Amino acid sequence: PDARARLGLGRSFQDGRLFPALTVAETIAVALERSIDVRDPIAAALHLQAGVKRTLVSSTPDDGTIKLYQRDPKRIVPILRPYRTREDIGHWWQDPSVIPYLESRLALKAHKGIGEFDLFGGQTGTPVIKQLIEIVLRENIYLHAHSDEVAIVELFTIEPRLKVIWAHAGMSSGPQAVGALLDRYPNLSVDLAIRNGDVIDILVQSRRNRRAA
């Protein structure tokens, strides 16, 4: 590494911020998300401990998800993002060209849902979302929605038969709000996946607690 550095080749973290409350090892762990030594190639690719029975996977582009699924169809549960590129994130719900893209990928007969996607209150009333709902009902698959409470309510108001996985539930809504919607909608599930920013907050608080003790 030192020889490469002298030649001008450097490395940087995707998130270049430093966290004074963390040790060097903790800061590196945040950047890497997790560093583990496993011989299982699927677990290694997904930064998971060996022995994981099943995992929900989506990617942009979708080709990466399909490659993993073909490698291990028993453990990889493919979910189709409506994003062809990251530029789609900000407007996909009002872009008609998203629908033929979804149809072409669903023709692979591999995906168990559509998502994870960003969709918030006031964005659900477009023709694209109407067609999306028709697709998931026809295919009997899930929506994996990174949404606020308003959008979740709006989706079920449009179509109560939807099956929705609410991504990162509890990060922007409190446990009481999440619980109330789970009680209200039998077809609503939640995932408790923690995003990088949340991991940072948890590590910082954990470090502070250890210092206080």
Side-chain angles (χ1 to χ4, degrees):
D2 58 329
R4 288 195 294 269
R6 284 194 296 270
L7 292 173
L9 178 63
R11 297 181 180 181
S12 64
F13 297 142
Q14 184 177 7
D15 189 335
R17 292 176 297 168
L18 297 177
F19 309 101
L22 302 185
T23 66
V24 172
E26 288 169 337
T27 300
I28 293 173
V30 169
L32 296 176
E33 294 190 14
R34 177 176 290 179
S35 178
I36 55 177
D37 181 18
V38 295
R39 296 182 180 179
D40 183 330
I42 299 299
L46 297 172
H47 296 276
L48 297 173
Q49 296 288 356
V52 169
K53 294 182 179 180
R54 191 163 295 178
T55 183
L56 204 66
V57 177
S58 62
S59 62
T60 303
D62 182 53
D63 294 341
T65 295
I66 295 302
K67 287 179 181 178
L68 282 174
Y69 174 70
Q70 291 170 341
R71 182 72 179 265
D72 194 343
K74 291 184 178 180
R75 277 192 294 172
I76 303 301
V77 181
I79 303 293
L80 174 60
R81 288 185 180 179
Y83 312 148
R84 293 149 296 186
T85 67
R86 290 192 62 82
E87 285 69 32
D88 288 336
I89 294 175
H91 58 82
W92 73 270
W93 67 89
Q94 53 189 359
D95 182 352
S97 68
V98 165
I99 297 301
Y101 167 73
L102 293 175
E103 294 279 23
S104 68
R105 300 303 293 181
L106 289 173
L108 298 172
K109 300 299 181 183
H111 301 89
K112 303 302 181 183
I114 295 177
E116 176 186 350
F117 52 76
D118 287 28
L119 187 70
F120 300 99
Q123 298 174 346
T124 63
T126 68
V128 171
I129 298 302
K130 180 181 178 181
Q131 290 179 275
L132 173 68
I133 290 172
E134 292 172 355
I135 289 172
V136 297
L137 290 178
R138 183 193 73 209
E139 299 293 328
N140 191 27
I141 57 178
Y142 285 81
L143 290 179
H144 190 199
H146 182 144
S147 302
D148 55 13
E149 298 169 52
V150 176
I152 296 297
V153 172
E154 289 177 355
L155 286 171
F156 280 111
T157 300
I158 296 169
E159 179 48 75
R161 294 176 295 170
L162 286 174
K163 297 187 293 184
V164 178
I165 301 172
W166 190 3
H168 314 297
M171 293 301 171
S172 58
S173 301
Q176 290 184 336
V178 173
L181 291 186
L182 286 171
D183 291 340
R184 183 175 177 182
Y185 302 115
N187 287 345
L188 177 64
S189 304
V190 301
D191 81 46
L192 301 178
I194 298 179
R195 296 163 291 180
N196 283 355
D198 303 310
V199 171
I200 291 167
D201 291 340
I202 291 170
L203 285 174
V204 169
Q205 188 59 51
S206 174
R207 183 69 173 169
R208 288 173 177 169
N209 291 343
R210 289 201 301 272
R211 286 179 173 176

